[in-house]
Amino acid sequence: MSKTTIEAFEHIKSIPGGFFICEDDKENGYPFVYINEYFLGKTGWNNADISERFNDNFLEMIHPEDRNVVEECISQAGLAVSSIDDDSIFRVFGDHGYIYMTGNINRCTCNGKNYIQGVLNSISSYVKKEEREKRALKVLDTKSVRDQAEIIRAISKTFYCIYYINMDDYSYFDLGKTTLELDDLVGTAGNAITAFPQVGKFLIHEDNYEEFVEYTDVRTLSERLKDKNWISKQFIGMTAGWSEGIFIAADRNEDGSPRHVVWAVRSIHEQKTKELAYQNELEQSLSIIGALANVLNTMVYIDLEDKTLQRVFMGDSNKAKPGDKRDAIETIDKVISFDVNSEHIDKLKEFLDVDTLDERLGSNSVISEVYMDSRGLWQRADIVPVKRDEMGKNLAVLWTIRNVDEEKRREIMQQQELEDALFIAQAASRAKSRFLSNMSHDIRTPMNAIIGFTALGAKYVNDPEKMTEYLGKIAVSGNHLLSLINDILDMSRIESGKVRIEENEVHLPDILHDLRTIVQSEVVAKNIDLFIDTLDVKHEDVVCDKLRLNQILLNIMSNALKYTNAGGMVSLRVTEKPSSKAETALFEFRIKDTGIGMSEEFLSVIFQPFERMQSSTVSGIQGTGLGLSITKNLVEMMGGTISVESEEGKGSEFTVVLPFKKSSTPVVYETIPELQGVRVLVADDSADTCFSVTRMLNEIGMRSDWTTSGKEAVLRAKYAVDENDEYGAYIIDWLMPDMNGIETVRRIRRFISDDKPIIILTAYDWSSIEAEAREAGVTSFCSKPLFMSELREALTYTRKKKVVEETDFSTYNFENKKVLLVEDNMLNREIATEILKEAGLLIDEAEDGDVAVEILKNAADDQYDLVLMDIQMPRLDGYMATREIRTLDNPVIANIPIIAMTANAFEEDKKKAFEAGMNAHISKPIDIKQLMSVLIDVLNKN
């Protein structure tokens, strides 16, 4: 747009009055080209309205009766201005009726095309009321109207619109009371058939428009007023709100039909609004009362004006007849005193105070109060309005009572649960804060040792003795740090639902013997007595998660040993309990110690995460406070329960009950003929052990005696020989207080033959005393706890001893064995390479899975003996790399042994490794013994 055009446009906008430009096209009603803001402002339309309502042309905006005035003005306009004089007033449609306008119009030419332009001004406000009244006086001069003058004067005081209608031709005249807005819309006179619907179109709300048109149809008025003096109708306007129109028969013809009719309209908005509000309140009140009546046990009507009350119904019978009127204040006071709990009397009296009920109820539909009655049940009193005056004052109410005891007690319980949950959350937050404090100390302690001894080792590189000492301490600290990390990871995995129970067939004796082996070194180091025994165990082979069962028992046992001082005692008893399910065996594990015990306060939070009895910085006992929380979660995941009893200074006892599926191939013990009726002597300082072993012997078919004393065992053996009823076998505990097992055997052998078997029963490693024991006459050894299968084997001399020997890796020849080490971490590669080279292996390295795949694609058949594969690598992880290797075209390379060597150490990680095609799994940090054992196993198989 050019500068000149912009200046011209700004000039046009500044022209005072309603400026417009139209095409000089009469046939199309002079289409608009431009309308300024003043014009739009006065009419109340916008450009979209003008396009939609008036087809964008000027002539359609003009009142039909005034279009000839505008057309004549346009026809006379030349290229000079053609003014419109005062008589040339015309009406334009506005959004609220007609607007009286005047001004000037002229023609102009632009680019060879003719246009009409003009400036119009609204003069609606200058149309004199007197002129309309003069016109009205002409009408009033008729005799029929003069006869009705008094009526007109009377109704004109309250009505804002009065029209006088001639029923012969349906013409109307304004009687001088009509508002300017209506006069602008339909004028002071006209035809009622067309004018009155126009009023409805612009002023009546759309919801009432159809009814309004039907009501104002003057063509049906004669029939509707035939037997009536007047008819009325209420309707709602878009601007004026609620109004009432009244058609009044002014005079009648001989046949009784109305000759002239007066139509008067008055505002009823204020009254109607109040009426609707009251109606709404009344409907609400009745709805509430109707709903409440289904569940109420009492309803009383209270008159607030005369302060009386009357029973509607009371008690369980809703059909009871209303009672007599009574003094409200006195009756309410008696009812409250008799039927309300003493602690709630004052607040209910305040609630039912008749003098203040109106003020407190106000415009509300109901107010309520919950209280306890004299029987201890919760009730709810409601006050519901049923009668109000025009000013909204409450004149009468209903007082209802409903039993809400169940809901209230549930609410109280839920509130208590929320408070408990908040307490638990706050306790957990405090526990986590303590955990962070403890972990800061517990992690820094081994880290300080690792860093410190590493620094010391650097100073004594040439001192093998000190280096060995420092490396040993670094290893101990590293293993402890690893245990802390494992606990934290276990808890995190349990909380995230990633731990799964993997059930397989297991042999319970193996689990308990392994457990004893694991804790034996700590037992010996702290000089603690450890007892493991069984009672009524009939199903030694069960289906369960061996790893998780080990973890549960080891967690509790480790705590027992940790918190038991030197010289104390820790025991584990395994008992098979009766099971309600035929396919299930129920086992109880009781772990008892004589340690420091626990306070009642700590027992309440013992299984919560991060809880520890004492800060490790005070007690010096290391741990995360997660072990028992992990244990409880695992027990519950396996379908069991765990409980604890403890007393400070007297020790603790944990009880774990677990259901296990019985083995699919149950063991059936056959009768051993040579043992039937054989007499056996059992000697153990634990009466429970004696009782358990003798019961098993009886099941085998043997006769058994037992004693808790070594000396008595010697006497019993000698007496049996003397009575010629000699014992055919002896089961002797190694450690007994009065005489140890070896000495007992030595004395018994003095008067029995060498063919009589003597079995030493012990919970300890017997290797250090085996030579002495055999010299004394011991035939064989059995580990505690003793199971039926082991006892039968020992007695029949067919027990297959499993001797676990530590592999001497130095004797294994790794010569010419070549390994491809796949590891993305340079430091980890360096450590692994040094360990493998020390064992004599040849090493090639690959820094990622994709590199390893490429190396093996081009490798000769005998180039590598196995692959050590990391799992988490940036470009191609170990699982994917293994899958690609297994699909290589060369069958020898495709089947090369692959061992996962990774920090992903959980059971599901091992499962993923095997599913990907790996042959074995080694967890980091690397355990050298485990690594060498796996390498030997894999290479031997290959």
Side-chain angles (χ1 to χ4, degrees), residues 812-814 817 866 897 933-942:
Y812 189 84
N813 185 11
F814 286 110
K817 300 296 183 183
L866 61 83
S933 177
V934 171
L935 288 175
I936 292 170
D937 183 56
V938 171
L939 290 171
N940 279 340
K941 287 180 181 177
N942 196 47

Side-chain angles (χ1 to χ4, degrees), residues 325-589:
K325 282 189 177 183
R326 298 183 183 181
D327 181 270
I329 297 174
E330 180 181 346
T331 305
I332 290 173
D333 187 66
K334 286 181 180 179
V335 170
I336 291 175
S337 300
F338 175 76
D339 198 42
V340 177
N341 183 282
S342 58
E343 295 182 4
H344 295 253
I345 286 177
D346 290 340
K347 73 172 183 178
L348 197 61
K349 280 186 176 181
E350 183 179 354
F351 175 72
L352 293 173
D353 183 3
V354 176
D355 293 327
T356 61
L357 258 181
D358 170 56
E359 180 182 353
R360 287 183 289 111
L361 182 58
S363 60
N364 295 313
S365 57
V366 63
I367 58 174
S368 304
E369 181 69 43
V370 177
Y371 65 95
M372 183 178 287
D373 66 16
S374 57
R375 297 168 296 171
L377 300 177
W378 289 97
Q379 307 286 348
R380 191 181 82 181
D382 292 321
I383 298 295
V384 183
V386 292
K387 185 178 180 182
R388 285 177 171 144
D389 63 13
E390 293 182 357
M391 302 302 293
K393 182 180 180 180
N394 293 287
L395 304 178
V397 298
L398 280 179
W399 165 29
T400 65
I401 301 174
R402 182 168 73 93
N403 184 300
V404 293
D405 191 69
E406 185 177 347
E407 300 98 304
K408 183 64 177 179
R409 295 190 187 281
R410 190 185 305 119
E411 178 188 333
I412 293 172
M413 184 176 67
Q414 290 172 345
Q415 181 66 30
Q416 185 61 47
E417 288 175 351
L418 287 173
E419 291 176 0
D420 292 345
L422 176 61
F423 174 79
I424 291 170
Q426 290 172 339
S429 178
R430 290 192 297 270
K432 287 184 180 181
S433 296
R434 290 196 299 273
F435 163 74
L436 291 174
S437 175
N438 292 337
M439 289 307 297
S440 176
H441 173 270
D442 289 352
I443 290 177
R444 286 175 185 273
T445 298
M447 282 302 298
N448 286 339
I450 293 169
I451 294 169
F453 286 119
T454 301
L456 288 172
K459 293 181 180 180
Y460 294 95
V461 175
N462 298 321
D463 188 338
E465 186 177 343
K466 283 190 175 293
M467 281 295 293
T468 302
E469 177 188 353
Y470 294 155
L471 290 174
K473 291 178 179 179
I474 289 172
V476 170
S477 298
N479 287 330
H480 175 62
L481 183 60
L482 183 61
S483 71
L484 296 178
I485 293 170
N486 285 338
D487 274 354
I488 295 170
L489 291 177
D490 270 353
M491 195 65 218
S492 175
R493 287 163 53 75
I494 288 171
E495 289 181 344
S496 64
K498 292 183 178 179
V499 171
R500 296 289 181 268
I501 299 300
E502 301 286 344
E503 293 186 332
N504 296 290
E505 291 202 0
V506 298
H507 192 52
L508 277 180
D510 291 343
I511 292 178
L512 295 180
H513 293 320
D514 289 346
L515 177 67
R516 181 184 58 78
T517 301
I518 292 170
V519 301
Q520 189 65 41
S521 60
E522 187 174 357
V523 168
V524 174
K526 292 188 70 174
N527 191 27
I528 292 174
D529 290 330
L530 174 65
F531 298 96
I532 303 178
D533 66 344
T534 63
L535 185 64
D536 297 333
V537 174
K538 298 184 182 298
H539 299 90
E540 298 177 17
D541 297 294
V542 295
V543 177
C544 71
D545 190 324
K546 180 180 179 181
L547 175 67
R548 300 306 176 190
L549 178 58
N550 267 325
Q551 191 174 358
I552 290 166
L553 297 177
L554 189 56
N555 274 349
I556 301 174
M557 185 72 79
S558 296
N559 275 347
L561 295 170
K562 184 189 301 182
Y563 292 102
T564 299
N565 296 323
M569 183 273 293
V570 174
S571 67
L572 166 61
R573 164 164 288 182
V574 182
T575 306
E576 185 172 346
K577 297 285 188 179
S579 174
S580 58
K581 298 179 179 178
E583 70 279 6
T584 301
L586 192 65
F587 287 87
E588 177 187 81
F589 301 84

Side-chain angles (χ1 to χ4, degrees), residues 24-87:
D24 191 2
D25 184 355
K26 180 178 179 180
E27 290 185 3
N28 291 309
Y30 304 108
F32 282 113
V33 176
Y34 173 77
I35 305 174
N36 71 352
E37 294 179 0
Y38 178 89
F39 190 105
L40 294 173
K42 284 298 180 182
T43 61
W45 306 117
N46 56 39
N47 285 312
D49 294 330
I50 290 173
S51 176
E52 181 181 347
R53 292 174 178 270
F54 307 111
N55 298 318
D56 267 334
N57 67 68
F58 177 50
L59 206 58
E60 283 196 25
M61 284 191 70
I62 309 303
H63 192 286
E65 295 177 2
D66 296 342
R67 288 175 186 172
N68 59 333
V69 175
V70 175
E71 289 181 347
E72 183 179 354
C73 179
I74 292 173
S75 66
Q76 294 177 359
L79 296 180
V81 175
S82 174
S83 299
I84 299 176
D85 57 28
D86 291 340
D87 291 333

